[in-house]
Amino acid sequence: MGHLLVVESWVGSMSRLLPRAIREGGHEFTFLTRDLHHYLRSAPEGTAHPLLGARNIITVDTNDPEALLPEAERLHAVLGFDGVLTSCDYYLSTAARIAGHLGLPGPGPEAVENACRKDATRRILADAGLPQPRFAVHEEWADIASAAREIGYPLVVKPVDLCAGMFVRRVDDEAELAAAFQALADFPVNARGQRRAPVVLLEELLDGPEVSVETVSHGGAVHVVGVTDKSIGGAPAFIETGHMFPAALTPADTEAAEQTALGALKALGLTDGVVAHTEIKLTSAGPRVVEVNPRPAGNRITELVRHVTGIDLAAAFVDAALGTVPDLRRTDTGLSSAAIGFLVPHTAGTLEALDGSELRGAPGVLEVQLAEPGKAVKAAGSNNEYLGHVMAGDADGPGARDRVEALLAGLRAGLVIR
């Protein structure tokens, strides 16, 4: 039995999948957080959040890595940890630093930090000659405006240290760029109370579909689990509206996506003890790296993978943190594809009606999760404003996405926001 130190967590699906994987693996965990109420608020009324099933819950300032390292060392001397992990992007580099400081398994802290900073990723991939969009990184408006003219409109504006598509925008001219620049300047602290880097990343707008390559690395070898496709909406934002696993690609496109992702992971040094989610654009000029995330995929992609292959990426994440060989054996699940679609609100107000009762138990449906009437709704600007999702599978081929889209169309017809 292993004892894991979990440093914060997202409050979405991985905050439930991770404790389950730890428990089912016969392990236990100690949970560190600076704000326990952040998790209490995310649990349905009358239930306990799975993270509260920790052997120990310790309140400490997780936003101060320098003070946290000696505190983790003191706790390690008493409790004896076998690995350190987090599902929250804002603490991935902190968890890696703690693991390194304690001599526990895991990727190098610098590699994780570089992957978590979009500007550092861009520079490292450029030095390695990896295919990616033309880009520029600046802090001052005059430099940003000049770089945008050089790259050429339309382009994409990104923060270098936020997640879930927050403040990622397409801009078509300098006026839109100025508005995006100001929006970022008005958001100096992230949702976990950490001060943001004030730099802005500009990228060439890429054509073509986007996919993600799900990988697990151990012992210096990176294993490709598969490729997931992605649908995007909400322009000028880039909101993920759905995914399907495996992606319906030609063998050549699948190979191109996989090899590009492997090259990016190697360039960043993420080849041992990492479950990664690498986003690739399959452009008309060839594959381009969008992002490298040194953690399991979000938005229930890990569950799509599990439904089709039997591989549990949350369990692989735990194994990687413990330095043990992840179980990547495929099993016959009876499904050829699985897809998820998200209900994305386009107007603000109060949710008055959303009924998915007829979907539950329908053929092929794997999950239905919907917001309750009375919920305050705002028009989606990122992946944080969903009103729910539907997941379905197809036993015969790549038909899961079409099935999900048909089910979502029925939900949208009965959606009332006032």
Side-chain angles (χ1 to χ4, degrees), residues 12-13 240-243 299-301 303-304 307 339-344 354 356 359-360 365-371 386-392 404 407-408 411:
S13 68
E240 297 178 2
T241 60
H243 303 277
N299 270 352
R300 306 290 287 175
I301 291 174
E303 291 302 277
L304 300 182
H307 280 301
I340 188 168
F342 300 99
L343 196 58
V344 180
L354 178 59
L359 301 185
R360 294 178 172 87
V365 171
L366 302 170
E367 290 181 9
V368 178
Q369 182 178 315
L370 301 173
Y386 299 137
L387 292 179
H389 69 258
V390 178
M391 185 187 295
V404 163
L407 295 170
L408 280 176
L411 279 177

PDB file of all heavy atoms in Angstrom, residues 12-13 240-243 299-301 303-304 307 339-344 354 356 359-360 365-371 386-392 404 407-408 411:
ATOM      1  N   GLY A  12     -13.597  19.338 -10.448  1.00  0.00           N
ATOM      2  CA  GLY A  12     -14.396  18.652 -11.457  1.00  0.00           C
ATOM      3  C   GLY A  12     -14.244  17.150 -11.345  1.00  0.00           C
ATOM      4  O   GLY A  12     -14.009  16.603 -10.255  1.00  0.00           O
ATOM      5  N   SER A  13     -14.346  16.461 -12.476  1.00  0.00           N
ATOM      6  CA  SER A  13     -14.414  15.004 -12.437  1.00  0.00           C
ATOM      7  C   SER A  13     -13.157  14.367 -11.869  1.00  0.00           C
ATOM      8  O   SER A  13     -13.234  13.349 -11.170  1.00  0.00           O
ATOM      9  CB  SER A  13     -14.692  14.447 -13.833  1.00  0.00           C
ATOM     10  OG  SER A  13     -13.606  14.656 -14.701  1.00  0.00           O
ATOM     11  N   GLU A 240     -14.441  24.020 -25.696  1.00  0.00           N
ATOM     12  CA  GLU A 240     -14.552  22.611 -26.074  1.00  0.00           C
ATOM     13  C   GLU A 240     -16.010  22.185 -25.931  1.00  0.00           C
ATOM     14  O   GLU A 240     -16.553  22.181 -24.826  1.00  0.00           O
ATOM     15  CB  GLU A 240     -13.645  21.758 -25.183  1.00  0.00           C
ATOM     16  CG  GLU A 240     -12.169  22.094 -25.354  1.00  0.00           C
ATOM     17  CD  GLU A 240     -11.259  21.295 -24.440  1.00  0.00           C
ATOM     18  OE1 GLU A 240     -11.773  20.431 -23.686  1.00  0.00           O
ATOM     19  OE2 GLU A 240     -10.040  21.522 -24.474  1.00  0.00           O
ATOM     20  N   THR A 241     -16.626  21.829 -27.036  1.00  0.00           N
ATOM     21  CA  THR A 241     -18.039  21.444 -27.002  1.00  0.00           C
ATOM     22  C   THR A 241     -18.231  19.936 -27.016  1.00  0.00           C
ATOM     23  O   THR A 241     -19.342  19.460 -26.787  1.00  0.00           O
ATOM     24  CB  THR A 241     -18.788  22.062 -28.196  1.00  0.00           C
ATOM     25  OG1 THR A 241     -18.201  21.597 -29.421  1.00  0.00           O
ATOM     26  CG2 THR A 241     -18.708  23.581 -28.145  1.00  0.00           C
ATOM     27  N   GLY A 242     -17.158  19.180 -27.273  1.00  0.00           N
ATOM     28  CA  GLY A 242     -17.282  17.730 -27.243  1.00  0.00           C
ATOM     29  C   GLY A 242     -15.997  17.032 -27.632  1.00  0.00           C
ATOM     30  O   GLY A 242     -15.052  17.660 -28.135  1.00  0.00           O
ATOM     31  N   HIS A 243     -15.961  15.721 -27.374  1.00  0.00           N
ATOM     32  CA  HIS A 243     -14.799  14.892 -27.689  1.00  0.00           C
ATOM     33  C   HIS A 243     -15.285  13.507 -28.094  1.00  0.00           C
ATOM     34  O   HIS A 243     -16.349  13.055 -27.652  1.00  0.00           O
ATOM     35  CB  HIS A 243     -13.878  14.725 -26.480  1.00  0.00           C
ATOM     36  CG  HIS A 243     -13.379  16.007 -25.898  1.00  0.00           C
ATOM     37  ND1 HIS A 243     -12.295  16.682 -26.393  1.00  0.00           N
ATOM     38  CD2 HIS A 243     -13.834  16.738 -24.852  1.00  0.00           C
ATOM     39  CE1 HIS A 243     -12.082  17.773 -25.682  1.00  0.00           C
ATOM     40  NE2 HIS A 243     -13.009  17.831 -24.734  1.00  0.00           N
ATOM     41  N   ASN A 299     -12.261  17.071 -18.835  1.00  0.00           N
ATOM     42  CA  ASN A 299     -13.522  16.973 -19.583  1.00  0.00           C
ATOM     43  C   ASN A 299     -13.963  15.537 -19.836  1.00  0.00           C
ATOM     44  O   ASN A 299     -14.519  15.212 -20.885  1.00  0.00           O
ATOM     45  CB  ASN A 299     -13.432  17.737 -20.903  1.00  0.00           C
ATOM     46  CG  ASN A 299     -13.873  19.178 -20.760  1.00  0.00           C
ATOM     47  OD1 ASN A 299     -14.389  19.565 -19.721  1.00  0.00           O
ATOM     48  ND2 ASN A 299     -13.683  19.976 -21.791  1.00  0.00           N
ATOM     49  N   ARG A 300     -13.671  14.682 -18.876  1.00  0.00           N
ATOM     50  CA  ARG A 300     -14.108  13.275 -18.906  1.00  0.00           C
ATOM     51  C   ARG A 300     -13.476  12.470 -20.035  1.00  0.00           C
ATOM     52  O   ARG A 300     -13.921  11.341 -20.334  1.00  0.00           O
ATOM     53  CB  ARG A 300     -15.637  13.160 -18.990  1.00  0.00           C
ATOM     54  CG  ARG A 300     -16.410  13.907 -17.915  1.00  0.00           C
ATOM     55  CD  ARG A 300     -16.277  13.311 -16.557  1.00  0.00           C
ATOM     56  NE  ARG A 300     -17.008  12.069 -16.378  1.00  0.00           N
ATOM     57  CZ  ARG A 300     -16.931  11.329 -15.270  1.00  0.00           C
ATOM     58  NH1 ARG A 300     -16.143  11.693 -14.277  1.00  0.00           N
ATOM     59  NH2 ARG A 300     -17.625  10.211 -15.149  1.00  0.00           N
ATOM     60  N   ILE A 301     -12.428  12.981 -20.663  1.00  0.00           N
ATOM     61  CA  ILE A 301     -11.754  12.207 -21.709  1.00  0.00           C
ATOM     62  C   ILE A 301     -11.197  10.912 -21.141  1.00  0.00           C
ATOM     63  O   ILE A 301     -11.213   9.867 -21.810  1.00  0.00           O
ATOM     64  CB  ILE A 301     -10.642  13.046 -22.367  1.00  0.00           C
ATOM     65  CG1 ILE A 301     -11.255  14.182 -23.188  1.00  0.00           C
ATOM     66  CG2 ILE A 301      -9.751  12.188 -23.256  1.00  0.00           C
ATOM     67  CD1 ILE A 301     -10.246  15.156 -23.750  1.00  0.00           C
ATOM     68  N   GLU A 303     -12.515   9.053 -19.049  1.00  0.00           N
ATOM     69  CA  GLU A 303     -13.600   8.073 -19.005  1.00  0.00           C
ATOM     70  C   GLU A 303     -13.952   7.561 -20.396  1.00  0.00           C
ATOM     71  O   GLU A 303     -14.336   6.398 -20.555  1.00  0.00           O
ATOM     72  CB  GLU A 303     -14.824   8.678 -18.316  1.00  0.00           C
ATOM     73  CG  GLU A 303     -14.621   8.916 -16.829  1.00  0.00           C
ATOM     74  CD  GLU A 303     -14.266   7.631 -16.107  1.00  0.00           C
ATOM     75  OE1 GLU A 303     -15.183   6.863 -15.757  1.00  0.00           O
ATOM     76  OE2 GLU A 303     -13.058   7.376 -15.898  1.00  0.00           O
ATOM     77  N   LEU A 304     -13.832   8.406 -21.406  1.00  0.00           N
ATOM     78  CA  LEU A 304     -14.020   7.919 -22.777  1.00  0.00           C
ATOM     79  C   LEU A 304     -13.005   6.822 -23.083  1.00  0.00           C
ATOM     80  O   LEU A 304     -13.348   5.774 -23.643  1.00  0.00           O
ATOM     81  CB  LEU A 304     -13.859   9.066 -23.781  1.00  0.00           C
ATOM     82  CG  LEU A 304     -14.805  10.252 -23.680  1.00  0.00           C
ATOM     83  CD1 LEU A 304     -14.497  11.253 -24.789  1.00  0.00           C
ATOM     84  CD2 LEU A 304     -16.261   9.818 -23.749  1.00  0.00           C
ATOM     85  N   HIS A 307     -13.913   3.601 -21.206  1.00  0.00           N
ATOM     86  CA  HIS A 307     -15.068   2.903 -21.767  1.00  0.00           C
ATOM     87  C   HIS A 307     -14.705   2.116 -23.025  1.00  0.00           C
ATOM     88  O   HIS A 307     -15.300   1.073 -23.306  1.00  0.00           O
ATOM     89  CB  HIS A 307     -16.190   3.894 -22.082  1.00  0.00           C
ATOM     90  CG  HIS A 307     -16.998   4.305 -20.889  1.00  0.00           C
ATOM     91  ND1 HIS A 307     -17.696   3.403 -20.108  1.00  0.00           N
ATOM     92  CD2 HIS A 307     -17.214   5.529 -20.342  1.00  0.00           C
ATOM     93  CE1 HIS A 307     -18.314   4.040 -19.140  1.00  0.00           C
ATOM     94  NE2 HIS A 307     -18.033   5.330 -19.248  1.00  0.00           N
ATOM     95  N   ALA A 339     -18.165   9.046 -26.889  1.00  0.00           N
ATOM     96  CA  ALA A 339     -18.113  10.495 -27.096  1.00  0.00           C
ATOM     97  C   ALA A 339     -18.836  11.212 -25.967  1.00  0.00           C
ATOM     98  O   ALA A 339     -19.709  10.652 -25.301  1.00  0.00           O
ATOM     99  CB  ALA A 339     -18.729  10.867 -28.441  1.00  0.00           C
ATOM    100  N   ILE A 340     -18.469  12.470 -25.789  1.00  0.00           N
ATOM    101  CA  ILE A 340     -19.127  13.333 -24.816  1.00  0.00           C
ATOM    102  C   ILE A 340     -19.447  14.656 -25.493  1.00  0.00           C
ATOM    103  O   ILE A 340     -18.679  15.144 -26.327  1.00  0.00           O
ATOM    104  CB  ILE A 340     -18.239  13.552 -23.570  1.00  0.00           C
ATOM    105  CG1 ILE A 340     -19.007  14.301 -22.472  1.00  0.00           C
ATOM    106  CG2 ILE A 340     -16.946  14.290 -23.914  1.00  0.00           C
ATOM    107  CD1 ILE A 340     -18.295  14.291 -21.129  1.00  0.00           C
ATOM    108  N   GLY A 341     -20.603  15.209 -25.180  1.00  0.00           N
ATOM    109  CA  GLY A 341     -20.998  16.526 -25.671  1.00  0.00           C
ATOM    110  C   GLY A 341     -21.429  17.388 -24.506  1.00  0.00           C
ATOM    111  O   GLY A 341     -22.084  16.901 -23.571  1.00  0.00           O
ATOM    112  N   PHE A 342     -21.049  18.655 -24.540  1.00  0.00           N
ATOM    113  CA  PHE A 342     -21.337  19.566 -23.439  1.00  0.00           C
ATOM    114  C   PHE A 342     -22.432  20.550 -23.832  1.00  0.00           C
ATOM    115  O   PHE A 342     -22.483  21.031 -24.973  1.00  0.00           O
ATOM    116  CB  PHE A 342     -20.076  20.333 -23.037  1.00  0.00           C
ATOM    117  CG  PHE A 342     -18.965  19.428 -22.580  1.00  0.00           C
ATOM    118  CD1 PHE A 342     -17.939  19.089 -23.441  1.00  0.00           C
ATOM    119  CD2 PHE A 342     -18.978  18.892 -21.307  1.00  0.00           C
ATOM    120  CE1 PHE A 342     -16.925  18.242 -23.038  1.00  0.00           C
ATOM    121  CE2 PHE A 342     -17.972  18.031 -20.896  1.00  0.00           C
ATOM    122  CZ  PHE A 342     -16.942  17.709 -21.763  1.00  0.00           C
ATOM    123  N   LEU A 343     -23.276  20.849 -22.881  1.00  0.00           N
ATOM    124  CA  LEU A 343     -24.333  21.829 -23.081  1.00  0.00           C
ATOM    125  C   LEU A 343     -23.763  23.198 -22.725  1.00  0.00           C
ATOM    126  O   LEU A 343     -23.481  23.476 -21.558  1.00  0.00           O
ATOM    127  CB  LEU A 343     -25.537  21.482 -22.203  1.00  0.00           C
ATOM    128  CG  LEU A 343     -26.855  22.150 -22.532  1.00  0.00           C
ATOM    129  CD1 LEU A 343     -27.281  21.831 -23.970  1.00  0.00           C
ATOM    130  CD2 LEU A 343     -27.934  21.698 -21.548  1.00  0.00           C
ATOM    131  N   VAL A 344     -23.564  24.020 -23.744  1.00  0.00           N
ATOM    132  CA  VAL A 344     -22.879  25.298 -23.581  1.00  0.00           C
ATOM    133  C   VAL A 344     -23.906  26.429 -23.638  1.00  0.00           C
ATOM    134  O   VAL A 344     -24.600  26.583 -24.649  1.00  0.00           O
ATOM    135  CB  VAL A 344     -21.821  25.497 -24.686  1.00  0.00           C
ATOM    136  CG1 VAL A 344     -21.107  26.834 -24.519  1.00  0.00           C
ATOM    137  CG2 VAL A 344     -20.817  24.345 -24.679  1.00  0.00           C
ATOM    138  N   LEU A 354     -34.566  22.310 -17.772  1.00  0.00           N
ATOM    139  CA  LEU A 354     -33.598  21.436 -18.435  1.00  0.00           C
ATOM    140  C   LEU A 354     -33.873  20.023 -17.948  1.00  0.00           C
ATOM    141  O   LEU A 354     -33.543  19.667 -16.822  1.00  0.00           O
ATOM    142  CB  LEU A 354     -32.158  21.848 -18.098  1.00  0.00           C
ATOM    143  CG  LEU A 354     -31.044  20.988 -18.702  1.00  0.00           C
ATOM    144  CD1 LEU A 354     -31.132  20.973 -20.217  1.00  0.00           C
ATOM    145  CD2 LEU A 354     -29.676  21.492 -18.260  1.00  0.00           C
ATOM    146  N   GLY A 356     -33.439  16.026 -18.571  1.00  0.00           N
ATOM    147  CA  GLY A 356     -32.766  14.941 -19.262  1.00  0.00           C
ATOM    148  C   GLY A 356     -33.207  13.577 -18.791  1.00  0.00           C
ATOM    149  O   GLY A 356     -32.508  12.589 -19.027  1.00  0.00           O
ATOM    150  N   LEU A 359     -33.231  10.656 -21.186  1.00  0.00           N
ATOM    151  CA  LEU A 359     -31.948  10.180 -21.698  1.00  0.00           C
ATOM    152  C   LEU A 359     -31.357   9.066 -20.856  1.00  0.00           C
ATOM    153  O   LEU A 359     -30.676   8.183 -21.363  1.00  0.00           O
ATOM    154  CB  LEU A 359     -30.941  11.326 -21.782  1.00  0.00           C
ATOM    155  CG  LEU A 359     -31.318  12.525 -22.653  1.00  0.00           C
ATOM    156  CD1 LEU A 359     -30.159  13.505 -22.708  1.00  0.00           C
ATOM    157  CD2 LEU A 359     -31.691  12.068 -24.057  1.00  0.00           C
ATOM    158  N   ARG A 360     -31.593   9.152 -19.562  1.00  0.00           N
ATOM    159  CA  ARG A 360     -30.989   8.165 -18.665  1.00  0.00           C
ATOM    160  C   ARG A 360     -31.573   6.783 -18.954  1.00  0.00           C
ATOM    161  O   ARG A 360     -32.777   6.579 -18.935  1.00  0.00           O
ATOM    162  CB  ARG A 360     -31.223   8.560 -17.208  1.00  0.00           C
ATOM    163  CG  ARG A 360     -30.477   9.848 -16.835  1.00  0.00           C
ATOM    164  CD  ARG A 360     -30.738  10.274 -15.395  1.00  0.00           C
ATOM    165  NE  ARG A 360     -29.881  11.396 -15.013  1.00  0.00           N
ATOM    166  CZ  ARG A 360     -30.186  12.665 -15.208  1.00  0.00           C
ATOM    167  NH1 ARG A 360     -31.340  12.974 -15.789  1.00  0.00           N
ATOM    168  NH2 ARG A 360     -29.357  13.626 -14.847  1.00  0.00           N
ATOM    169  N   VAL A 365     -26.344   5.282 -23.957  1.00  0.00           N
ATOM    170  CA  VAL A 365     -26.000   6.394 -23.072  1.00  0.00           C
ATOM    171  C   VAL A 365     -25.181   5.880 -21.895  1.00  0.00           C
ATOM    172  O   VAL A 365     -25.557   4.918 -21.215  1.00  0.00           O
ATOM    173  CB  VAL A 365     -27.260   7.123 -22.581  1.00  0.00           C
ATOM    174  CG1 VAL A 365     -26.907   8.139 -21.500  1.00  0.00           C
ATOM    175  CG2 VAL A 365     -27.943   7.821 -23.741  1.00  0.00           C
ATOM    176  N   LEU A 366     -24.064   6.530 -21.642  1.00  0.00           N
ATOM    177  CA  LEU A 366     -23.161   6.134 -20.564  1.00  0.00           C
ATOM    178  C   LEU A 366     -23.248   7.064 -19.361  1.00  0.00           C
ATOM    179  O   LEU A 366     -23.108   6.624 -18.222  1.00  0.00           O
ATOM    180  CB  LEU A 366     -21.713   6.110 -21.075  1.00  0.00           C
ATOM    181  CG  LEU A 366     -21.435   5.189 -22.253  1.00  0.00           C
ATOM    182  CD1 LEU A 366     -20.040   5.436 -22.818  1.00  0.00           C
ATOM    183  CD2 LEU A 366     -21.589   3.735 -21.834  1.00  0.00           C
ATOM    184  N   GLU A 367     -23.458   8.348 -19.603  1.00  0.00           N
ATOM    185  CA  GLU A 367     -23.557   9.330 -18.525  1.00  0.00           C
ATOM    186  C   GLU A 367     -24.476  10.462 -18.959  1.00  0.00           C
ATOM    187  O   GLU A 367     -24.472  10.872 -20.124  1.00  0.00           O
ATOM    188  CB  GLU A 367     -22.201   9.966 -18.189  1.00  0.00           C
ATOM    189  CG  GLU A 367     -21.188   9.084 -17.528  1.00  0.00           C
ATOM    190  CD  GLU A 367     -19.901   9.849 -17.218  1.00  0.00           C
ATOM    191  OE1 GLU A 367     -19.867  11.093 -17.359  1.00  0.00           O
ATOM    192  OE2 GLU A 367     -18.928   9.186 -16.857  1.00  0.00           O
ATOM    193  N   VAL A 368     -25.221  10.984 -18.003  1.00  0.00           N
ATOM    194  CA  VAL A 368     -25.965  12.234 -18.185  1.00  0.00           C
ATOM    195  C   VAL A 368     -25.790  13.037 -16.903  1.00  0.00           C
ATOM    196  O   VAL A 368     -26.077  12.549 -15.812  1.00  0.00           O
ATOM    197  CB  VAL A 368     -27.470  12.007 -18.434  1.00  0.00           C
ATOM    198  CG1 VAL A 368     -28.195  13.347 -18.556  1.00  0.00           C
ATOM    199  CG2 VAL A 368     -27.693  11.164 -19.672  1.00  0.00           C
ATOM    200  N   GLN A 369     -25.276  14.244 -17.042  1.00  0.00           N
ATOM    201  CA  GLN A 369     -25.119  15.112 -15.881  1.00  0.00           C
ATOM    202  C   GLN A 369     -25.554  16.510 -16.285  1.00  0.00           C
ATOM    203  O   GLN A 369     -24.984  17.115 -17.200  1.00  0.00           O
ATOM    204  CB  GLN A 369     -23.666  15.149 -15.404  1.00  0.00           C
ATOM    205  CG  GLN A 369     -23.445  16.016 -14.165  1.00  0.00           C
ATOM    206  CD  GLN A 369     -22.011  15.971 -13.703  1.00  0.00           C
ATOM    207  OE1 GLN A 369     -21.396  14.908 -13.633  1.00  0.00           O
ATOM    208  NE2 GLN A 369     -21.462  17.132 -13.380  1.00  0.00           N
ATOM    209  N   LEU A 370     -26.590  17.025 -15.614  1.00  0.00           N
ATOM    210  CA  LEU A 370     -27.167  18.304 -15.998  1.00  0.00           C
ATOM    211  C   LEU A 370     -27.358  19.205 -14.788  1.00  0.00           C
ATOM    212  O   LEU A 370     -27.594  18.731 -13.668  1.00  0.00           O
ATOM    213  CB  LEU A 370     -28.525  18.085 -16.675  1.00  0.00           C
ATOM    214  CG  LEU A 370     -28.524  17.208 -17.939  1.00  0.00           C
ATOM    215  CD1 LEU A 370     -29.939  16.936 -18.393  1.00  0.00           C
ATOM    216  CD2 LEU A 370     -27.712  17.859 -19.043  1.00  0.00           C
ATOM    217  N   ALA A 371     -27.265  20.507 -15.015  1.00  0.00           N
ATOM    218  CA  ALA A 371     -27.499  21.482 -13.963  1.00  0.00           C
ATOM    219  C   ALA A 371     -28.967  21.477 -13.560  1.00  0.00           C
ATOM    220  O   ALA A 371     -29.853  21.143 -14.356  1.00  0.00           O
ATOM    221  CB  ALA A 371     -27.088  22.867 -14.438  1.00  0.00           C
ATOM    222  N   TYR A 386     -20.199  25.147 -18.459  1.00  0.00           N
ATOM    223  CA  TYR A 386     -21.121  24.142 -18.990  1.00  0.00           C
ATOM    224  C   TYR A 386     -22.357  23.997 -18.104  1.00  0.00           C
ATOM    225  O   TYR A 386     -22.293  24.134 -16.871  1.00  0.00           O
ATOM    226  CB  TYR A 386     -20.442  22.776 -19.060  1.00  0.00           C
ATOM    227  CG  TYR A 386     -19.227  22.681 -19.947  1.00  0.00           C
ATOM    228  CD1 TYR A 386     -18.096  21.997 -19.516  1.00  0.00           C
ATOM    229  CD2 TYR A 386     -19.203  23.236 -21.218  1.00  0.00           C
ATOM    230  CE1 TYR A 386     -16.970  21.869 -20.326  1.00  0.00           C
ATOM    231  CE2 TYR A 386     -18.090  23.124 -22.032  1.00  0.00           C
ATOM    232  CZ  TYR A 386     -16.972  22.444 -21.583  1.00  0.00           C
ATOM    233  OH  TYR A 386     -15.862  22.321 -22.387  1.00  0.00           O
ATOM    234  N   LEU A 387     -23.464  23.626 -18.747  1.00  0.00           N
ATOM    235  CA  LEU A 387     -24.683  23.294 -18.014  1.00  0.00           C
ATOM    236  C   LEU A 387     -24.862  21.786 -17.877  1.00  0.00           C
ATOM    237  O   LEU A 387     -25.881  21.330 -17.363  1.00  0.00           O
ATOM    238  CB  LEU A 387     -25.910  23.888 -18.721  1.00  0.00           C
ATOM    239  CG  LEU A 387     -26.007  25.419 -18.701  1.00  0.00           C
ATOM    240  CD1 LEU A 387     -27.249  25.875 -19.451  1.00  0.00           C
ATOM    241  CD2 LEU A 387     -26.012  25.932 -17.272  1.00  0.00           C
ATOM    242  N   GLY A 388     -23.877  21.037 -18.314  1.00  0.00           N
ATOM    243  CA  GLY A 388     -23.945  19.590 -18.171  1.00  0.00           C
ATOM    244  C   GLY A 388     -23.355  18.895 -19.388  1.00  0.00           C
ATOM    245  O   GLY A 388     -22.819  19.539 -20.295  1.00  0.00           O
ATOM    246  N   HIS A 389     -23.472  17.567 -19.391  1.00  0.00           N
ATOM    247  CA  HIS A 389     -22.946  16.796 -20.514  1.00  0.00           C
ATOM    248  C   HIS A 389     -23.726  15.509 -20.704  1.00  0.00           C
ATOM    249  O   HIS A 389     -24.433  15.045 -19.805  1.00  0.00           O
ATOM    250  CB  HIS A 389     -21.462  16.476 -20.301  1.00  0.00           C
ATOM    251  CG  HIS A 389     -21.187  15.496 -19.202  1.00  0.00           C
ATOM    252  ND1 HIS A 389     -20.729  15.866 -17.960  1.00  0.00           N
ATOM    253  CD2 HIS A 389     -21.298  14.132 -19.155  1.00  0.00           C
ATOM    254  CE1 HIS A 389     -20.569  14.801 -17.199  1.00  0.00           C
ATOM    255  NE2 HIS A 389     -20.907  13.727 -17.903  1.00  0.00           N
ATOM    256  N   VAL A 390     -23.564  14.949 -21.894  1.00  0.00           N
ATOM    257  CA  VAL A 390     -24.097  13.633 -22.238  1.00  0.00           C
ATOM    258  C   VAL A 390     -22.949  12.820 -22.820  1.00  0.00           C
ATOM    259  O   VAL A 390     -22.192  13.318 -23.663  1.00  0.00           O
ATOM    260  CB  VAL A 390     -25.236  13.733 -23.265  1.00  0.00           C
ATOM    261  CG1 VAL A 390     -25.725  12.334 -23.644  1.00  0.00           C
ATOM    262  CG2 VAL A 390     -26.376  14.567 -22.729  1.00  0.00           C
ATOM    263  N   MET A 391     -22.815  11.578 -22.373  1.00  0.00           N
ATOM    264  CA  MET A 391     -21.795  10.667 -22.894  1.00  0.00           C
ATOM    265  C   MET A 391     -22.488   9.420 -23.435  1.00  0.00           C
ATOM    266  O   MET A 391     -23.416   8.900 -22.800  1.00  0.00           O
ATOM    267  CB  MET A 391     -20.803  10.271 -21.799  1.00  0.00           C
ATOM    268  CG  MET A 391     -19.636   9.418 -22.271  1.00  0.00           C
ATOM    269  SD  MET A 391     -18.597   8.814 -20.899  1.00  0.00           S
ATOM    270  CE  MET A 391     -17.927  10.356 -20.274  1.00  0.00           C
ATOM    271  N   ALA A 392     -22.041   8.977 -24.596  1.00  0.00           N
ATOM    272  CA  ALA A 392     -22.639   7.787 -25.197  1.00  0.00           C
ATOM    273  C   ALA A 392     -21.566   6.987 -25.923  1.00  0.00           C
ATOM    274  O   ALA A 392     -20.507   7.513 -26.276  1.00  0.00           O
ATOM    275  CB  ALA A 392     -23.755   8.167 -26.171  1.00  0.00           C
ATOM    276  N   VAL A 404     -24.362  11.345 -29.626  1.00  0.00           N
ATOM    277  CA  VAL A 404     -24.347  12.403 -28.610  1.00  0.00           C
ATOM    278  C   VAL A 404     -24.958  13.691 -29.147  1.00  0.00           C
ATOM    279  O   VAL A 404     -25.726  14.370 -28.470  1.00  0.00           O
ATOM    280  CB  VAL A 404     -22.910  12.642 -28.103  1.00  0.00           C
ATOM    281  CG1 VAL A 404     -22.791  13.973 -27.381  1.00  0.00           C
ATOM    282  CG2 VAL A 404     -22.478  11.508 -27.179  1.00  0.00           C
ATOM    283  N   LEU A 407     -28.682  13.538 -29.117  1.00  0.00           N
ATOM    284  CA  LEU A 407     -29.223  13.657 -27.762  1.00  0.00           C
ATOM    285  C   LEU A 407     -29.146  15.102 -27.271  1.00  0.00           C
ATOM    286  O   LEU A 407     -30.087  15.603 -26.628  1.00  0.00           O
ATOM    287  CB  LEU A 407     -28.448  12.739 -26.824  1.00  0.00           C
ATOM    288  CG  LEU A 407     -28.584  11.230 -27.103  1.00  0.00           C
ATOM    289  CD1 LEU A 407     -27.578  10.443 -26.270  1.00  0.00           C
ATOM    290  CD2 LEU A 407     -29.995  10.755 -26.820  1.00  0.00           C
ATOM    291  N   LEU A 408     -28.042  15.779 -27.563  1.00  0.00           N
ATOM    292  CA  LEU A 408     -27.906  17.174 -27.146  1.00  0.00           C
ATOM    293  C   LEU A 408     -28.925  18.070 -27.845  1.00  0.00           C
ATOM    294  O   LEU A 408     -29.431  19.032 -27.243  1.00  0.00           O
ATOM    295  CB  LEU A 408     -26.496  17.676 -27.437  1.00  0.00           C
ATOM    296  CG  LEU A 408     -25.401  17.282 -26.446  1.00  0.00           C
ATOM    297  CD1 LEU A 408     -24.052  17.787 -26.950  1.00  0.00           C
ATOM    298  CD2 LEU A 408     -25.673  17.837 -25.055  1.00  0.00           C
ATOM    299  N   LEU A 411     -31.982  18.031 -25.898  1.00  0.00           N
ATOM    300  CA  LEU A 411     -31.863  18.806 -24.664  1.00  0.00           C
ATOM    301  C   LEU A 411     -31.967  20.302 -24.934  1.00  0.00           C
ATOM    302  O   LEU A 411     -32.624  21.032 -24.181  1.00  0.00           O
ATOM    303  CB  LEU A 411     -30.514  18.504 -24.000  1.00  0.00           C
ATOM    304  CG  LEU A 411     -30.397  17.243 -23.164  1.00  0.00           C
ATOM    305  CD1 LEU A 411     -28.966  17.084 -22.655  1.00  0.00           C
ATOM    306  CD2 LEU A 411     -31.379  17.274 -21.996  1.00  0.00           C
TER     307      LEU A 411
END
